[in-house]
Amino acid sequence: MKNIRNFCIIAHIDHGKSTLADRLLEFTKTVSNRDMQAQLLDNMDLERERGITIKSHAIQMTYLYKGEEFTLNLIDTPGHVDFSYEVSRSIAACEGALLLVDASQGTEAQTISNLYLAINHNLTIIPVLNKVDLPGARPEEIKDEMVDLLGCERDDIIPASGKEGIGIKEILDAIIERVPAPVGDPEAPLQALIFDSVFNSYRGIEVIFRIKNGSIKKGDKVKFMNTGKEYFADEIGTLGLVQIPKQVVECGDVGYLISGIKVAKEVKVGDTITHLHRQASESIVGFSEVKPMVFAGIYPVDTTEFEELRDAMEKLQLNDAALVWEPETSAALGFGFRCGFLGMLHMEIVQERLEREFDMTVITTVPSVQFRITNTKDQLINISAPSEMPEPNLINWIEEPYINAQIITKSDYIGPILTLCMDKRGMLKNQVYLTAERVELQFRLPLAEVVFDFFDKLKTISKGYASLDYDLAGYEESDMVKLDVMLNGEPVDALSAIVHRTKAYEWGKKLCEKLRELIPRQMFEIAIQAAIGQKIIARETVKAMRKDVLAKCYGGDISRKRKLLEKQKKGKKRMRQVGNVEIPQEAFMAVLKIN
C-alpha cells in the first residue's frame, strides 16, 4: 500500500486539467504515442465537441521514482459548476489533489469551491501554476494569490504547462513525496466505496470503486450494503486506458467490478461493497445526497417510445448520478418524466446524451422549481409543474423555495451584480472582503429566479469571474400566479409557467412575441394568448398564408373581387376550427431565451 497514490485534478473550467492529464499519461508511458490524442480521457463525443469535461475519468499509471515503482490512480474531474457532484465523488476516492490555476486568469470561483470540497475531505493540496508559457501569463502576481488562498509557501507552487510539457516530472515527484499513501487495514473485512458506474450493453453494469479496507479476489461473493443485493465478482481489475483484469485488487487501490448486474436500480453511487461471509460492521460515509435545483419534464416525441425512454433514463442515471427522475403525464405531450437537474447546462447535456447515446428524440418542457401550496381545506400540496396547480379560488397561499447564495467576485463588479440580484427579487445579507481585490456577497434569493439564466448573466456581467455557490434556505410565502399560454383558445400545458405577479405581464408579452417568431405560419390565423386564470394579459397573431385568389380577376367590378375574398375568408374560418397547430421543439425552449 505504501506505493499507491490516489489523486485527482481540480480547477476552474478551462484551466487545462485534461491537457495536463494527457502529459502525465505520456510521461509515465501509460499510453503509447500511437494511441495518443488530445484530451484523451474525454472519451464522449459531446465532451470533445464542446471542449468541456462532463464525466470524471479514472486511470492508473505506474511511475519509477528513485528505483521504486509506484502506482498512481489519477481522476480527471469536470470544472463547470453544474458537474460539481462528479467532483465531490472523485474527491471522496482520493488522498490528494492537484489544484490547477491558470497563470493568465488567476484563481477563479470554481477553483475556490472545489478547493473547499477537497479541504473538507482532508486532502493534501498540491498547487500547480498552469499555462506559464502563455504570453499573457502573470506568474508572480498569481503566485501571491495562491499563497493567500492556500496559506502555502511560494516554493510549494509548481510552475507547469500542460501544452508544452513543462514541470511534469516535478508534479509526479511532488505527488509521491507529498500525497500520503492510502490508510486502511488489508486484513479487515472488505469495505469499498462505489464512486462511479457505467452501463455496458454486453456485460451489464461496471461498478468503479475504491477500497478503504480489506481486498477483493476474483470469484468472491460480495454484497452491496445499501441495497442488500449479493453478487459474484466475475471479473475485477484496475483501470488503464482499457480495463486490466486482475486476480486480486488490494487495499487502497481503485478498480472495477463486473458481475453481470442488469438492473440499473441495484447500483447506487456512494454504496459500500463488502464480502458476504465476512461483512463490514458499517458502510463508508460517502458523499452528500445530490440536490436537484431545476425541474423539467422530458417526453418522448413519439408517445409509443415511453418504455424505451424509461430504459434510457435508467442507464443514463448510472453514468450520471446527479440525475433524478419520476414519471408524470401532460395533456399536450402524453407520458413522460419529471427530471431534476443541477443546472441548465446539466439539463442540456442530458437531453443531448439521450439523443446521441440512446437514439431517443425528446421534448423538454419549461424548467421550474417546487412550490408549496396551502389550499382552502388547509392541506399542504407540493407542486413541481404548472399543470398540477389548482384553480386560484382554491388556494389560500403559495410558498416558494429560497436559497442562500454566496457569490465570490472581483470588487470591480459589485455594482452590476447587486443590480442583477435586486432585479431577481434578492436581498443582500452580507458583504465580506476576502482580499483587497476579491469580495464575497451573500444573498437570499428565490430559487425560481435563479434557475433560468441567472448563472449565465452573472458570468457575463463579471467577465466570467464571479462564482455562485448556494444551499436551500427553506420556503417563504409569495404572490405567485400561473401563467397559461393558449393557441387558438386551447391551453398548452407544456408552455405554462408559475411566475411572480409583478413579472407576469412582462413575461406573458415576451413569451407571446417569441412564440410568434417560432410557430410556423399555417393556412389559417393562429391567436397566441397569455392568460392568468380567465384574464388575457397579452396577445400576438400569426397571420395566415394566403393564396392570391384575385390573380385571375383583372378589370371589372369590385363586387366580383369581394365575392372571391369572402369565399376565401369562409374557408379559412372553417379550416381554423378543424386545423390544429404544430408546435416545434424550439417553441418549448423559447421560455429559456426570454431575458
Side-chain angles (χ1 to χ4, degrees), residues 35-36 131 220 323 395 422 432 552 565:
D35 293 332
M36 194 62 210
K131 307 192 184 184
D220 278 353
L323 178 65
I395 297 173
M422 297 303 177
V432 186
K552 60 181 183 287
L565 286 170

Side-chain angles (χ1 to χ4, degrees), residues 54-56 75 77-93 110 113-114 117 121 193-196 226 268-271 286-292 317-324 340-343 346 469-470:
I54 294 168
K55 282 286 300 162
S56 295
I75 304 177
T77 65
H80 196 282
V81 64
D82 275 16
F83 305 113
S84 57
Y85 191 59
E86 289 284 324
V87 182
S88 72
R89 296 186 351 236
S90 310
I91 283 175
Q110 223 41 48
S113 77
N114 285 342
L117 267 177
H121 277 81
L193 175 72
I194 300 177
F195 68 92
D196 206 353
N226 280 1
K268 275 200 166 55
V269 166
D271 203 346
F287 12 82
S288 57
E289 274 293 300
V290 59
K291 303 175 294 199
Q317 194 176 21
L318 280 175
N319 200 247
D320 181 352
L323 178 65
V324 181
F341 307 97
L342 294 182
H346 186 209
D469 198 28
Y470 50 77

